[in-house]
Amino acid sequence: LLPLCFVLYVVWKSAVKRTLENGSPIAKVILWYPTFWLGISNNVTFDRLPVDRLTTTDLKEQAGALTAVGSIAATILTCAVIQAYSLWKSGRFKKYFKIYICFIGGLIALGSLPGLNLRIHHYILGSILVPGCATRGSSAYLFQGILVGLILSGVARWDFASIVETDTALLRGEAGASLKPPILDFNDDQNHSLSWHLNATDPVIDQIGNIDGFSLLLNDVEVYVGKNETVSIDVLRMENPALAQMMDDALDASNGTIDLYLRVARASVRSPTNRGDYTNAGVLQWPNGMWQKPEPGVS
């Protein structure tokens, strides 16, 4: 709370005070306060736009993301031009131009840090843009209200999130954030067995010694955890009667063959929760042993 109070104090001294102090009460009620609540209610207003992490992957995968980002950029640019004109009329354009050149230079420097991604969170966007609204007039009321609302909304929901984040942090626990899985192998001569091997650059044990084995999923049920790099489905059936019964029941209900969806990941043989990323599913047609290799990537 104290850091937020400090930020709001700086925002007040640098921009809001000039706009609201001795301003028209009617303008405040009609222009500033409604847009303030529009910004502070960001979770039900702007968050409905298909824009999340502003990563290349998200922009490609989310429908309408590019259009939304383009619209947001065009809106910000239009507002910036309007406020630049207001600052020019007040005789302070050169001062704020230098300030924003410093802001842009700082963002470029942060964005160029190796292994880190620049993240313009809501509170950062509001904090950067609100000084440019330190003017009087209807445009300042409108823009300033939204920006102050975004600062409060962003900090309230996500705290002071870092302006730079690693690739792993950016994934938020999604597939791709953990250790890469091994590569699945299949031998037609042993078509009831599944093998895998590590990439040549991957260590057998991770740096802190937690990941020292493998986990095998069969139809999204973990059926094996251990250090072997080859597993026989027949052996798993003998060791796990419940698995054998499940497969037999599925065979009885089908036309004599069933599809087994198999995924493998790096894992700890001691901890049931410590797992890396799983491969995409390879499909083994049981019991005739027809194999369909998995798609590249992780799941």
Side-chain angles (χ1 to χ4, degrees), residues 24-60:
S24 167
I26 296 177
K28 295 176 188 177
V29 171
I30 296 177
L31 300 176
W32 201 94
Y33 292 118
T35 55
F36 169 75
W37 285 107
L38 183 67
I40 208 170
S41 303
N42 174 64
N43 60 315
V44 293
T45 53
F46 304 117
D47 268 5
R48 295 181 180 273
L49 296 172
V51 179
D52 185 12
R53 293 171 292 195
L54 282 180
T55 62
T56 305
T57 303
D58 279 5
L59 293 178
K60 289 180 179 178

PDB file of all heavy atoms in Angstrom, residues 24-60:
ATOM      1  N   SER A  24     -13.115  23.068 -13.138  1.00  0.00           N
ATOM      2  CA  SER A  24     -14.571  23.129 -13.119  1.00  0.00           C
ATOM      3  C   SER A  24     -15.152  21.882 -12.456  1.00  0.00           C
ATOM      4  O   SER A  24     -14.854  20.760 -12.888  1.00  0.00           O
ATOM      5  CB  SER A  24     -15.104  23.246 -14.547  1.00  0.00           C
ATOM      6  OG  SER A  24     -16.491  23.007 -14.578  1.00  0.00           O
ATOM      7  N   PRO A  25     -15.982  22.043 -11.423  1.00  0.00           N
ATOM      8  CA  PRO A  25     -16.612  20.869 -10.798  1.00  0.00           C
ATOM      9  C   PRO A  25     -17.473  20.080 -11.782  1.00  0.00           C
ATOM     10  O   PRO A  25     -17.534  18.854 -11.714  1.00  0.00           O
ATOM     11  CB  PRO A  25     -17.460  21.477  -9.678  1.00  0.00           C
ATOM     12  CG  PRO A  25     -16.851  22.811  -9.406  1.00  0.00           C
ATOM     13  CD  PRO A  25     -16.325  23.288 -10.726  1.00  0.00           C
ATOM     14  N   ILE A  26     -18.117  20.797 -12.690  1.00  0.00           N
ATOM     15  CA  ILE A  26     -18.973  20.115 -13.669  1.00  0.00           C
ATOM     16  C   ILE A  26     -18.119  19.258 -14.603  1.00  0.00           C
ATOM     17  O   ILE A  26     -18.461  18.114 -14.923  1.00  0.00           O
ATOM     18  CB  ILE A  26     -19.793  21.147 -14.472  1.00  0.00           C
ATOM     19  CG1 ILE A  26     -20.745  21.893 -13.535  1.00  0.00           C
ATOM     20  CG2 ILE A  26     -20.564  20.457 -15.590  1.00  0.00           C
ATOM     21  CD1 ILE A  26     -21.537  22.989 -14.215  1.00  0.00           C
ATOM     22  N   ALA A  27     -16.967  19.796 -15.028  1.00  0.00           N
ATOM     23  CA  ALA A  27     -16.074  19.043 -15.911  1.00  0.00           C
ATOM     24  C   ALA A  27     -15.540  17.800 -15.201  1.00  0.00           C
ATOM     25  O   ALA A  27     -15.398  16.736 -15.809  1.00  0.00           O
ATOM     26  CB  ALA A  27     -14.925  19.930 -16.376  1.00  0.00           C
ATOM     27  N   LYS A  28     -15.256  17.948 -13.908  1.00  0.00           N
ATOM     28  CA  LYS A  28     -14.777  16.790 -13.147  1.00  0.00           C
ATOM     29  C   LYS A  28     -15.836  15.695 -13.108  1.00  0.00           C
ATOM     30  O   LYS A  28     -15.541  14.511 -13.309  1.00  0.00           O
ATOM     31  CB  LYS A  28     -14.422  17.206 -11.719  1.00  0.00           C
ATOM     32  CG  LYS A  28     -13.250  18.167 -11.596  1.00  0.00           C
ATOM     33  CD  LYS A  28     -13.056  18.576 -10.144  1.00  0.00           C
ATOM     34  CE  LYS A  28     -12.017  19.679 -10.014  1.00  0.00           C
ATOM     35  NZ  LYS A  28     -11.868  20.137  -8.613  1.00  0.00           N
ATOM     36  N   VAL A  29     -17.068  16.094 -12.840  1.00  0.00           N
ATOM     37  CA  VAL A  29     -18.153  15.115 -12.721  1.00  0.00           C
ATOM     38  C   VAL A  29     -18.464  14.471 -14.063  1.00  0.00           C
ATOM     39  O   VAL A  29     -18.678  13.251 -14.158  1.00  0.00           O
ATOM     40  CB  VAL A  29     -19.419  15.786 -12.138  1.00  0.00           C
ATOM     41  CG1 VAL A  29     -20.614  14.837 -12.208  1.00  0.00           C
ATOM     42  CG2 VAL A  29     -19.179  16.220 -10.704  1.00  0.00           C
ATOM     43  N   ILE A  30     -18.458  15.256 -15.120  1.00  0.00           N
ATOM     44  CA  ILE A  30     -18.863  14.742 -16.431  1.00  0.00           C
ATOM     45  C   ILE A  30     -17.727  14.008 -17.144  1.00  0.00           C
ATOM     46  O   ILE A  30     -17.960  12.999 -17.826  1.00  0.00           O
ATOM     47  CB  ILE A  30     -19.384  15.900 -17.314  1.00  0.00           C
ATOM     48  CG1 ILE A  30     -20.657  16.495 -16.698  1.00  0.00           C
ATOM     49  CG2 ILE A  30     -19.660  15.417 -18.737  1.00  0.00           C
ATOM     50  CD1 ILE A  30     -21.197  17.692 -17.455  1.00  0.00           C
ATOM     51  N   LEU A  31     -16.487  14.495 -16.979  1.00  0.00           N
ATOM     52  CA  LEU A  31     -15.375  13.963 -17.767  1.00  0.00           C
ATOM     53  C   LEU A  31     -14.388  13.122 -16.956  1.00  0.00           C
ATOM     54  O   LEU A  31     -14.040  12.009 -17.355  1.00  0.00           O
ATOM     55  CB  LEU A  31     -14.620  15.122 -18.445  1.00  0.00           C
ATOM     56  CG  LEU A  31     -15.436  15.992 -19.403  1.00  0.00           C
ATOM     57  CD1 LEU A  31     -14.589  17.144 -19.919  1.00  0.00           C
ATOM     58  CD2 LEU A  31     -15.965  15.161 -20.562  1.00  0.00           C
ATOM     59  N   TRP A  32     -13.913  13.644 -15.822  1.00  0.00           N
ATOM     60  CA  TRP A  32     -12.824  12.963 -15.108  1.00  0.00           C
ATOM     61  C   TRP A  32     -13.310  11.714 -14.377  1.00  0.00           C
ATOM     62  O   TRP A  32     -12.754  10.628 -14.556  1.00  0.00           O
ATOM     63  CB  TRP A  32     -12.163  13.923 -14.119  1.00  0.00           C
ATOM     64  CG  TRP A  32     -10.768  13.510 -13.707  1.00  0.00           C
ATOM     65  CD1 TRP A  32      -9.598  13.909 -14.270  1.00  0.00           C
ATOM     66  CD2 TRP A  32     -10.408  12.615 -12.638  1.00  0.00           C
ATOM     67  NE1 TRP A  32      -8.524  13.329 -13.638  1.00  0.00           N
ATOM     68  CE2 TRP A  32      -8.989  12.523 -12.624  1.00  0.00           C
ATOM     69  CE3 TRP A  32     -11.126  11.881 -11.707  1.00  0.00           C
ATOM     70  CZ2 TRP A  32      -8.296  11.737 -11.715  1.00  0.00           C
ATOM     71  CZ3 TRP A  32     -10.437  11.085 -10.794  1.00  0.00           C
ATOM     72  CH2 TRP A  32      -9.036  11.023 -10.803  1.00  0.00           C
ATOM     73  N   TYR A  33     -14.330  11.848 -13.558  1.00  0.00           N
ATOM     74  CA  TYR A  33     -14.756  10.723 -12.719  1.00  0.00           C
ATOM     75  C   TYR A  33     -15.293   9.537 -13.524  1.00  0.00           C
ATOM     76  O   TYR A  33     -14.959   8.385 -13.217  1.00  0.00           O
ATOM     77  CB  TYR A  33     -15.784  11.192 -11.683  1.00  0.00           C
ATOM     78  CG  TYR A  33     -15.194  12.107 -10.640  1.00  0.00           C
ATOM     79  CD1 TYR A  33     -15.639  13.420 -10.505  1.00  0.00           C
ATOM     80  CD2 TYR A  33     -14.176  11.673  -9.800  1.00  0.00           C
ATOM     81  CE1 TYR A  33     -15.081  14.272  -9.565  1.00  0.00           C
ATOM     82  CE2 TYR A  33     -13.613  12.519  -8.854  1.00  0.00           C
ATOM     83  CZ  TYR A  33     -14.069  13.818  -8.740  1.00  0.00           C
ATOM     84  OH  TYR A  33     -13.516  14.657  -7.816  1.00  0.00           O
ATOM     85  N   PRO A  34     -16.119   9.744 -14.557  1.00  0.00           N
ATOM     86  CA  PRO A  34     -16.569   8.573 -15.337  1.00  0.00           C
ATOM     87  C   PRO A  34     -15.420   7.813 -15.997  1.00  0.00           C
ATOM     88  O   PRO A  34     -15.404   6.576 -16.002  1.00  0.00           O
ATOM     89  CB  PRO A  34     -17.503   9.191 -16.380  1.00  0.00           C
ATOM     90  CG  PRO A  34     -17.983  10.452 -15.760  1.00  0.00           C
ATOM     91  CD  PRO A  34     -16.820  10.968 -14.975  1.00  0.00           C
ATOM     92  N   THR A  35     -14.461   8.544 -16.561  1.00  0.00           N
ATOM     93  CA  THR A  35     -13.342   7.843 -17.202  1.00  0.00           C
ATOM     94  C   THR A  35     -12.425   7.199 -16.161  1.00  0.00           C
ATOM     95  O   THR A  35     -11.795   6.171 -16.436  1.00  0.00           O
ATOM     96  CB  THR A  35     -12.531   8.807 -18.085  1.00  0.00           C
ATOM     97  OG1 THR A  35     -12.106   9.936 -17.305  1.00  0.00           O
ATOM     98  CG2 THR A  35     -13.360   9.285 -19.259  1.00  0.00           C
ATOM     99  N   PHE A  36     -12.364   7.796 -14.962  1.00  0.00           N
ATOM    100  CA  PHE A  36     -11.600   7.170 -13.876  1.00  0.00           C
ATOM    101  C   PHE A  36     -12.188   5.799 -13.551  1.00  0.00           C
ATOM    102  O   PHE A  36     -11.459   4.808 -13.426  1.00  0.00           O
ATOM    103  CB  PHE A  36     -11.629   8.076 -12.641  1.00  0.00           C
ATOM    104  CG  PHE A  36     -11.105   7.415 -11.396  1.00  0.00           C
ATOM    105  CD1 PHE A  36      -9.747   7.214 -11.221  1.00  0.00           C
ATOM    106  CD2 PHE A  36     -11.976   6.991 -10.400  1.00  0.00           C
ATOM    107  CE1 PHE A  36      -9.263   6.595 -10.066  1.00  0.00           C
ATOM    108  CE2 PHE A  36     -11.505   6.380  -9.249  1.00  0.00           C
ATOM    109  CZ  PHE A  36     -10.143   6.183  -9.081  1.00  0.00           C
ATOM    110  N   TRP A  37     -13.500   5.716 -13.435  1.00  0.00           N
ATOM    111  CA  TRP A  37     -14.130   4.429 -13.140  1.00  0.00           C
ATOM    112  C   TRP A  37     -14.050   3.478 -14.332  1.00  0.00           C
ATOM    113  O   TRP A  37     -14.013   2.258 -14.161  1.00  0.00           O
ATOM    114  CB  TRP A  37     -15.588   4.637 -12.715  1.00  0.00           C
ATOM    115  CG  TRP A  37     -15.672   5.162 -11.315  1.00  0.00           C
ATOM    116  CD1 TRP A  37     -16.006   6.418 -10.917  1.00  0.00           C
ATOM    117  CD2 TRP A  37     -15.358   4.437 -10.122  1.00  0.00           C
ATOM    118  NE1 TRP A  37     -15.922   6.529  -9.553  1.00  0.00           N
ATOM    119  CE2 TRP A  37     -15.529   5.330  -9.033  1.00  0.00           C
ATOM    120  CE3 TRP A  37     -14.949   3.138  -9.857  1.00  0.00           C
ATOM    121  CZ2 TRP A  37     -15.313   4.953  -7.719  1.00  0.00           C
ATOM    122  CZ3 TRP A  37     -14.732   2.753  -8.545  1.00  0.00           C
ATOM    123  CH2 TRP A  37     -14.914   3.660  -7.493  1.00  0.00           C
ATOM    124  N   LEU A  38     -13.997   4.036 -15.530  1.00  0.00           N
ATOM    125  CA  LEU A  38     -13.787   3.193 -16.710  1.00  0.00           C
ATOM    126  C   LEU A  38     -12.424   2.508 -16.638  1.00  0.00           C
ATOM    127  O   LEU A  38     -12.283   1.324 -16.947  1.00  0.00           O
ATOM    128  CB  LEU A  38     -13.882   4.048 -17.975  1.00  0.00           C
ATOM    129  CG  LEU A  38     -13.765   3.315 -19.321  1.00  0.00           C
ATOM    130  CD1 LEU A  38     -14.956   2.402 -19.544  1.00  0.00           C
ATOM    131  CD2 LEU A  38     -13.641   4.319 -20.461  1.00  0.00           C
ATOM    132  N   GLY A  39     -11.416   3.263 -16.203  1.00  0.00           N
ATOM    133  CA  GLY A  39     -10.077   2.688 -16.070  1.00  0.00           C
ATOM    134  C   GLY A  39      -9.951   1.741 -14.900  1.00  0.00           C
ATOM    135  O   GLY A  39      -9.336   0.677 -15.009  1.00  0.00           O
ATOM    136  N   ILE A  40     -10.551   2.093 -13.774  1.00  0.00           N
ATOM    137  CA  ILE A  40     -10.409   1.257 -12.580  1.00  0.00           C
ATOM    138  C   ILE A  40     -11.225  -0.030 -12.707  1.00  0.00           C
ATOM    139  O   ILE A  40     -10.935  -1.027 -12.039  1.00  0.00           O
ATOM    140  CB  ILE A  40     -10.813   2.053 -11.313  1.00  0.00           C
ATOM    141  CG1 ILE A  40     -10.054   1.521 -10.095  1.00  0.00           C
ATOM    142  CG2 ILE A  40     -12.301   1.999 -11.076  1.00  0.00           C
ATOM    143  CD1 ILE A  40     -10.191   2.379  -8.862  1.00  0.00           C
ATOM    144  N   SER A  41     -12.232  -0.016 -13.584  1.00  0.00           N
ATOM    145  CA  SER A  41     -13.020  -1.232 -13.851  1.00  0.00           C
ATOM    146  C   SER A  41     -12.459  -1.969 -15.057  1.00  0.00           C
ATOM    147  O   SER A  41     -13.200  -2.590 -15.828  1.00  0.00           O
ATOM    148  CB  SER A  41     -14.492  -0.863 -14.088  1.00  0.00           C
ATOM    149  OG  SER A  41     -15.022  -0.158 -12.993  1.00  0.00           O
ATOM    150  N   ASN A  42     -11.159  -1.915 -15.201  1.00  0.00           N
ATOM    151  CA  ASN A  42     -10.479  -2.492 -16.361  1.00  0.00           C
ATOM    152  C   ASN A  42     -10.825  -3.959 -16.581  1.00  0.00           C
ATOM    153  O   ASN A  42     -10.865  -4.440 -17.711  1.00  0.00           O
ATOM    154  CB  ASN A  42      -8.966  -2.326 -16.171  1.00  0.00           C
ATOM    155  CG  ASN A  42      -8.165  -3.022 -17.231  1.00  0.00           C
ATOM    156  OD1 ASN A  42      -8.232  -2.674 -18.399  1.00  0.00           O
ATOM    157  ND2 ASN A  42      -7.407  -4.039 -16.836  1.00  0.00           N
ATOM    158  N   ASN A  43     -11.080  -4.697 -15.491  1.00  0.00           N
ATOM    159  CA  ASN A  43     -11.367  -6.133 -15.632  1.00  0.00           C
ATOM    160  C   ASN A  43     -12.671  -6.402 -16.372  1.00  0.00           C
ATOM    161  O   ASN A  43     -12.871  -7.508 -16.901  1.00  0.00           O
ATOM    162  CB  ASN A  43     -11.402  -6.803 -14.257  1.00  0.00           C
ATOM    163  CG  ASN A  43     -12.456  -6.206 -13.354  1.00  0.00           C
ATOM    164  OD1 ASN A  43     -12.590  -4.987 -13.264  1.00  0.00           O
ATOM    165  ND2 ASN A  43     -13.204  -7.046 -12.665  1.00  0.00           N
ATOM    166  N   VAL A  44     -13.567  -5.423 -16.430  1.00  0.00           N
ATOM    167  CA  VAL A  44     -14.820  -5.618 -17.168  1.00  0.00           C
ATOM    168  C   VAL A  44     -14.920  -4.683 -18.372  1.00  0.00           C
ATOM    169  O   VAL A  44     -15.945  -4.656 -19.041  1.00  0.00           O
ATOM    170  CB  VAL A  44     -16.048  -5.408 -16.247  1.00  0.00           C
ATOM    171  CG1 VAL A  44     -16.123  -6.484 -15.202  1.00  0.00           C
ATOM    172  CG2 VAL A  44     -16.031  -4.028 -15.612  1.00  0.00           C
ATOM    173  N   THR A  45     -13.866  -3.925 -18.635  1.00  0.00           N
ATOM    174  CA  THR A  45     -13.878  -3.026 -19.800  1.00  0.00           C
ATOM    175  C   THR A  45     -12.786  -3.439 -20.782  1.00  0.00           C
ATOM    176  O   THR A  45     -13.018  -4.233 -21.685  1.00  0.00           O
ATOM    177  CB  THR A  45     -13.702  -1.562 -19.353  1.00  0.00           C
ATOM    178  OG1 THR A  45     -12.522  -1.443 -18.530  1.00  0.00           O
ATOM    179  CG2 THR A  45     -14.910  -1.095 -18.557  1.00  0.00           C
ATOM    180  N   PHE A  46     -11.584  -2.949 -20.577  1.00  0.00           N
ATOM    181  CA  PHE A  46     -10.511  -3.191 -21.543  1.00  0.00           C
ATOM    182  C   PHE A  46     -10.003  -4.625 -21.529  1.00  0.00           C
ATOM    183  O   PHE A  46      -9.460  -5.098 -22.531  1.00  0.00           O
ATOM    184  CB  PHE A  46      -9.349  -2.221 -21.279  1.00  0.00           C
ATOM    185  CG  PHE A  46      -9.757  -0.777 -21.301  1.00  0.00           C
ATOM    186  CD1 PHE A  46      -9.648   0.015 -20.171  1.00  0.00           C
ATOM    187  CD2 PHE A  46     -10.278  -0.207 -22.452  1.00  0.00           C
ATOM    188  CE1 PHE A  46     -10.035   1.345 -20.186  1.00  0.00           C
ATOM    189  CE2 PHE A  46     -10.670   1.124 -22.481  1.00  0.00           C
ATOM    190  CZ  PHE A  46     -10.554   1.900 -21.344  1.00  0.00           C
ATOM    191  N   ASP A  47     -10.147  -5.332 -20.406  1.00  0.00           N
ATOM    192  CA  ASP A  47      -9.666  -6.714 -20.350  1.00  0.00           C
ATOM    193  C   ASP A  47     -10.459  -7.651 -21.245  1.00  0.00           C
ATOM    194  O   ASP A  47     -10.060  -8.798 -21.461  1.00  0.00           O
ATOM    195  CB  ASP A  47      -9.699  -7.240 -18.906  1.00  0.00           C
ATOM    196  CG  ASP A  47      -8.378  -7.004 -18.196  1.00  0.00           C
ATOM    197  OD1 ASP A  47      -7.501  -6.362 -18.801  1.00  0.00           O
ATOM    198  OD2 ASP A  47      -8.223  -7.449 -17.044  1.00  0.00           O
ATOM    199  N   ARG A  48     -11.582  -7.201 -21.749  1.00  0.00           N
ATOM    200  CA  ARG A  48     -12.361  -8.026 -22.675  1.00  0.00           C
ATOM    201  C   ARG A  48     -11.731  -8.059 -24.071  1.00  0.00           C
ATOM    202  O   ARG A  48     -12.096  -8.894 -24.896  1.00  0.00           O
ATOM    203  CB  ARG A  48     -13.801  -7.505 -22.766  1.00  0.00           C
ATOM    204  CG  ARG A  48     -14.570  -7.645 -21.448  1.00  0.00           C
ATOM    205  CD  ARG A  48     -15.989  -7.133 -21.584  1.00  0.00           C
ATOM    206  NE  ARG A  48     -16.723  -7.258 -20.333  1.00  0.00           N
ATOM    207  CZ  ARG A  48     -17.389  -8.342 -19.953  1.00  0.00           C
ATOM    208  NH1 ARG A  48     -17.405  -9.400 -20.743  1.00  0.00           N
ATOM    209  NH2 ARG A  48     -18.029  -8.372 -18.809  1.00  0.00           N
ATOM    210  N   LEU A  49     -10.802  -7.150 -24.311  1.00  0.00           N
ATOM    211  CA  LEU A  49     -10.103  -7.166 -25.597  1.00  0.00           C
ATOM    212  C   LEU A  49      -9.184  -8.387 -25.662  1.00  0.00           C
ATOM    213  O   LEU A  49      -8.618  -8.792 -24.649  1.00  0.00           O
ATOM    214  CB  LEU A  49      -9.279  -5.883 -25.764  1.00  0.00           C
ATOM    215  CG  LEU A  49     -10.071  -4.572 -25.840  1.00  0.00           C
ATOM    216  CD1 LEU A  49      -9.121  -3.383 -25.812  1.00  0.00           C
ATOM    217  CD2 LEU A  49     -10.929  -4.537 -27.095  1.00  0.00           C
ATOM    218  N   PRO A  50      -9.018  -8.981 -26.844  1.00  0.00           N
ATOM    219  CA  PRO A  50      -8.188 -10.195 -26.969  1.00  0.00           C
ATOM    220  C   PRO A  50      -6.694  -9.891 -26.954  1.00  0.00           C
ATOM    221  O   PRO A  50      -5.956 -10.241 -27.870  1.00  0.00           O
ATOM    222  CB  PRO A  50      -8.630 -10.768 -28.322  1.00  0.00           C
ATOM    223  CG  PRO A  50      -9.024  -9.563 -29.118  1.00  0.00           C
ATOM    224  CD  PRO A  50      -9.652  -8.607 -28.127  1.00  0.00           C
ATOM    225  N   VAL A  51      -6.260  -9.213 -25.901  1.00  0.00           N
ATOM    226  CA  VAL A  51      -4.848  -8.848 -25.757  1.00  0.00           C
ATOM    227  C   VAL A  51      -4.421  -9.238 -24.355  1.00  0.00           C
ATOM    228  O   VAL A  51      -5.059  -8.849 -23.376  1.00  0.00           O
ATOM    229  CB  VAL A  51      -4.628  -7.334 -25.967  1.00  0.00           C
ATOM    230  CG1 VAL A  51      -3.153  -6.993 -25.795  1.00  0.00           C
ATOM    231  CG2 VAL A  51      -5.113  -6.909 -27.342  1.00  0.00           C
ATOM    232  N   ASP A  52      -3.343 -10.025 -24.264  1.00  0.00           N
ATOM    233  CA  ASP A  52      -2.894 -10.453 -22.943  1.00  0.00           C
ATOM    234  C   ASP A  52      -1.430 -10.100 -22.737  1.00  0.00           C
ATOM    235  O   ASP A  52      -1.096  -9.074 -22.159  1.00  0.00           O
ATOM    236  CB  ASP A  52      -3.137 -11.950 -22.776  1.00  0.00           C
ATOM    237  CG  ASP A  52      -2.811 -12.445 -21.378  1.00  0.00           C
ATOM    238  OD1 ASP A  52      -2.622 -11.602 -20.484  1.00  0.00           O
ATOM    239  OD2 ASP A  52      -2.745 -13.668 -21.172  1.00  0.00           O
ATOM    240  N   ARG A  53      -0.538 -10.948 -23.251  1.00  0.00           N
ATOM    241  CA  ARG A  53       0.883 -10.770 -22.952  1.00  0.00           C
ATOM    242  C   ARG A  53       1.655 -10.015 -24.027  1.00  0.00           C
ATOM    243  O   ARG A  53       2.832  -9.745 -23.870  1.00  0.00           O
ATOM    244  CB  ARG A  53       1.525 -12.149 -22.740  1.00  0.00           C
ATOM    245  CG  ARG A  53       1.028 -12.850 -21.503  1.00  0.00           C
ATOM    246  CD  ARG A  53       1.514 -14.275 -21.431  1.00  0.00           C
ATOM    247  NE  ARG A  53       0.929 -15.113 -22.467  1.00  0.00           N
ATOM    248  CZ  ARG A  53       0.967 -16.439 -22.464  1.00  0.00           C
ATOM    249  NH1 ARG A  53       1.564 -17.073 -21.484  1.00  0.00           N
ATOM    250  NH2 ARG A  53       0.411 -17.134 -23.432  1.00  0.00           N
ATOM    251  N   LEU A  54       0.993  -9.696 -25.129  1.00  0.00           N
ATOM    252  CA  LEU A  54       1.639  -8.994 -26.239  1.00  0.00           C
ATOM    253  C   LEU A  54       2.881  -9.731 -26.745  1.00  0.00           C
ATOM    254  O   LEU A  54       3.858  -9.105 -27.146  1.00  0.00           O
ATOM    255  CB  LEU A  54       2.014  -7.561 -25.834  1.00  0.00           C
ATOM    256  CG  LEU A  54       0.875  -6.539 -25.818  1.00  0.00           C
ATOM    257  CD1 LEU A  54       1.398  -5.173 -25.409  1.00  0.00           C
ATOM    258  CD2 LEU A  54       0.179  -6.453 -27.164  1.00  0.00           C
ATOM    259  N   THR A  55       2.849 -11.047 -26.695  1.00  0.00           N
ATOM    260  CA  THR A  55       3.937 -11.836 -27.265  1.00  0.00           C
ATOM    261  C   THR A  55       3.589 -12.194 -28.705  1.00  0.00           C
ATOM    262  O   THR A  55       2.421 -12.173 -29.102  1.00  0.00           O
ATOM    263  CB  THR A  55       4.170 -13.123 -26.462  1.00  0.00           C
ATOM    264  OG1 THR A  55       2.974 -13.929 -26.511  1.00  0.00           O
ATOM    265  CG2 THR A  55       4.493 -12.816 -25.007  1.00  0.00           C
ATOM    266  N   THR A  56       4.605 -12.534 -29.473  1.00  0.00           N
ATOM    267  CA  THR A  56       4.375 -12.907 -30.871  1.00  0.00           C
ATOM    268  C   THR A  56       3.433 -14.096 -30.977  1.00  0.00           C
ATOM    269  O   THR A  56       2.541 -14.129 -31.831  1.00  0.00           O
ATOM    270  CB  THR A  56       5.716 -13.241 -31.551  1.00  0.00           C
ATOM    271  OG1 THR A  56       6.607 -12.130 -31.406  1.00  0.00           O
ATOM    272  CG2 THR A  56       5.518 -13.524 -33.025  1.00  0.00           C
ATOM    273  N   THR A  57       3.610 -15.067 -30.076  1.00  0.00           N
ATOM    274  CA  THR A  57       2.754 -16.262 -30.096  1.00  0.00           C
ATOM    275  C   THR A  57       1.301 -15.902 -29.832  1.00  0.00           C
ATOM    276  O   THR A  57       0.394 -16.369 -30.527  1.00  0.00           O
ATOM    277  CB  THR A  57       3.239 -17.274 -29.040  1.00  0.00           C
ATOM    278  OG1 THR A  57       4.609 -17.590 -29.292  1.00  0.00           O
ATOM    279  CG2 THR A  57       2.407 -18.543 -29.095  1.00  0.00           C
ATOM    280  N   ASP A  58       1.067 -15.061 -28.822  1.00  0.00           N
ATOM    281  CA  ASP A  58      -0.304 -14.668 -28.500  1.00  0.00           C
ATOM    282  C   ASP A  58      -0.951 -13.906 -29.650  1.00  0.00           C
ATOM    283  O   ASP A  58      -2.128 -14.105 -29.968  1.00  0.00           O
ATOM    284  CB  ASP A  58      -0.318 -13.801 -27.237  1.00  0.00           C
ATOM    285  CG  ASP A  58      -0.247 -14.637 -25.971  1.00  0.00           C
ATOM    286  OD1 ASP A  58      -0.098 -15.868 -26.088  1.00  0.00           O
ATOM    287  OD2 ASP A  58      -0.327 -14.063 -24.869  1.00  0.00           O
ATOM    288  N   LEU A  59      -0.188 -13.016 -30.270  1.00  0.00           N
ATOM    289  CA  LEU A  59      -0.744 -12.225 -31.366  1.00  0.00           C
ATOM    290  C   LEU A  59      -1.124 -13.109 -32.548  1.00  0.00           C
ATOM    291  O   LEU A  59      -2.078 -12.816 -33.273  1.00  0.00           O
ATOM    292  CB  LEU A  59       0.265 -11.162 -31.812  1.00  0.00           C
ATOM    293  CG  LEU A  59       0.558 -10.050 -30.790  1.00  0.00           C
ATOM    294  CD1 LEU A  59       1.602  -9.092 -31.339  1.00  0.00           C
ATOM    295  CD2 LEU A  59      -0.715  -9.292 -30.434  1.00  0.00           C
ATOM    296  N   LYS A  60      -0.390 -14.209 -32.737  1.00  0.00           N
ATOM    297  CA  LYS A  60      -0.708 -15.121 -33.837  1.00  0.00           C
ATOM    298  C   LYS A  60      -1.888 -16.021 -33.499  1.00  0.00           C
ATOM    299  O   LYS A  60      -2.705 -16.341 -34.362  1.00  0.00           O
ATOM    300  CB  LYS A  60       0.518 -15.983 -34.165  1.00  0.00           C
ATOM    301  CG  LYS A  60       1.654 -15.225 -34.840  1.00  0.00           C
ATOM    302  CD  LYS A  60       2.823 -16.161 -35.112  1.00  0.00           C
ATOM    303  CE  LYS A  60       3.967 -15.429 -35.804  1.00  0.00           C
ATOM    304  NZ  LYS A  60       5.139 -16.330 -36.034  1.00  0.00           N
TER     305      LYS A  60
END
